[in-house]
Amino acid sequence: MDTKTTVLCGANSYTRKYYFNPAFKLLPDSVKKELQIMCVTFTESAGGQITLEFDHLGNLKFKVAADDADYLFDEIEGGMLISSFQRKKRELLEEIELFYKAVILKMEL
């Protein structure tokens, strides 16, 4: 089973940094901004680290991690935020998946 993923973007509450993969520079600036807002909002509210990653089939997944010693990380808040993003930003997330499948994976849609 292929478990390779490609990171689209992420944020880290420990280093207070946001990362955007330059391989996706063709995405519109408005989409990049929305992704940044989602990632930073997550880390500011729940703590820890979040990345948005594509699996080998082109599905966009939220991946969350926290340091073992981080007692302030709020797993429940994090889960609620991700559910909210998936519901409110469903169309945007689906369009990003389509972009990845068509432009990066060169899949026939």
Side-chain angles (χ1 to χ4, degrees):
M1 180 178 199
D2 187 0
T3 59
K4 185 177 187 277
T5 62
T6 302
V7 175
L8 169 62
C9 60
N12 184 320
S13 68
Y14 310 118
T15 60
R16 302 186 66 79
K17 301 265 184 198
Y18 170 76
Y19 169 78
F20 181 81
N21 186 340
F24 297 96
K25 65 183 176 194
L26 292 177
L27 286 172
D29 289 339
S30 60
V31 171
K32 293 177 195 172
K33 189 69 176 167
E34 280 295 317
L35 291 168
Q36 182 178 9
I37 290 168
M38 285 192 314
C39 289
V40 172
T41 298
F42 180 91
T43 58
E44 290 293 317
S45 297
Q49 305 162 21
I50 187 169
T51 54
L52 276 70
E53 302 178 6
F54 294 101
D55 65 17
H56 69 286
L57 298 174
N59 301 309
L60 187 59
K61 306 287 184 187
F62 289 82
K63 184 176 176 188
V64 176
D67 290 348
D68 290 337
D70 185 357
Y71 300 109
L72 298 177
F73 175 69
D74 190 341
E75 191 172 343
I76 294 171
E77 174 73 16
M80 289 173 40
L81 278 169
I82 289 172
S83 292
S84 174
F85 294 152
Q86 289 171 327
R87 191 174 54 257
K88 292 179 181 175
K89 304 291 184 183
R90 181 181 58 82
E91 189 174 321
L92 173 70
L93 298 171
E94 287 174 355
E95 289 172 355
I96 293 170
E97 280 184 351
L98 281 173
F99 170 87
Y100 183 75
K101 289 174 182 177
V103 176
I104 307 295
L105 295 181
K106 309 250 188 265
M107 290 176 134
E108 222 177 287
L109 304 176

